Amino acid sequence: MGEIEEVLKKHHIRPTAIRLLMYKYLRDRNVAATLNDIESGFDKSDRTTLYRTIKTFEKKGLVHQINDGTGIAKYALDDKTTGTTALQDLHLHFHCIKCNETVCLTDHKIPHISLPKGYLSKDMNLLVKGVCDKCNLK
Ligand SMILES: [Zn+2]
Ligand SMILES: [Zn+2]
């Protein structure tokens, strides 16, 4: 658990037991998780605690929320090993219409988009819908 503690500390999050477990859970999962997913992975913790934990992570920039059009928020760990700001780290998200999973395509950054004069970009969300590699092979 030592290395996870380091990551949490780097994000100014006090490494409590539930937070360490939450990080591990999200890291070992390679698709974005809904609160329901998280809840079924933690039978000993109540929903409120889990929700608060994920919100703390989000506030500290350790996870980001993905809106994939299903109407349910999904969460994924940020792939930020360096100290880049959120705006530089924007990557594509892919939502599979077959298995309904959403993944972070962290190696695929959102290309620079020019805006009309006077518009200032603060956040960007680019979601690609289609069939993922796993479903495509079936
Ligand atoms: Zn799929
Ligand atoms: Zn992502």
Side-chain angles (χ1 to χ4, degrees):
M1 283 284 191
E3 112 202 44
I4 301 178
E5 267 189 65
E6 284 305 306
V7 177
L8 294 188
K9 279 181 190 161
K10 221 183 269 171
H11 285 84
H12 310 283
I13 301 166
R14 200 161 44 86
T16 59
I18 182 75
R19 288 170 180 170
L20 293 170
L21 287 171
M22 179 72 81
Y23 185 90
K24 201 174 176 310
Y25 173 83
L26 292 169
R27 193 192 56 182
D28 293 348
R29 208 185 141 86
N30 37 33
V31 296
T34 64
L35 191 59
N36 279 341
D37 293 331
I38 296 169
E39 208 181 358
S40 53
F42 289 81
D43 45 311
K44 286 194 197 80
S45 304
D46 65 279
R47 198 179 168 91
T48 316
T49 309
L50 297 170
Y51 183 74
R52 272 208 307 260
T53 308
I54 201 88
K55 282 291 160 189
T56 303
F57 280 11
E58 194 187 356
K59 218 165 35 195
K60 302 286 188 181
L62 191 59
V63 301
H64 57 283
Q65 207 184 111
I66 306 162
N67 188 339
D68 63 7
T70 54
I72 303 156
K74 294 187 178 177
Y75 301 90
L77 281 183
D78 269 36
D79 185 43
K80 260 186 282 174
T81 39
T82 53
T84 56
T85 67
L87 208 57
Q88 290 169 303
D89 191 49
L90 292 172
H91 51 262
L92 296 182
H93 288 127
F94 190 94
H95 178 68
C96 176
I97 53 169
K98 282 200 169 170
C99 63
N100 214 26
E101 300 286 15
T102 300
V103 290
C104 293
L105 301 176
T106 44
D107 291 336
H108 295 75
K109 305 293 179 209
I110 296 180
H112 177 78
I113 291 166
S114 59
L115 292 169
K117 203 170 184 286
Y119 286 78
L120 184 66
S121 153
K122 289 282 188 194
D123 193 17
M124 232 190 303
N125 202 329
L126 195 53
L127 180 88
V128 181
K129 281 187 189 180
V131 181
C132 75
D133 57 348
K134 287 182 210 81
C135 294
N136 200 13
L137 289 173
K138 269 176 207 164

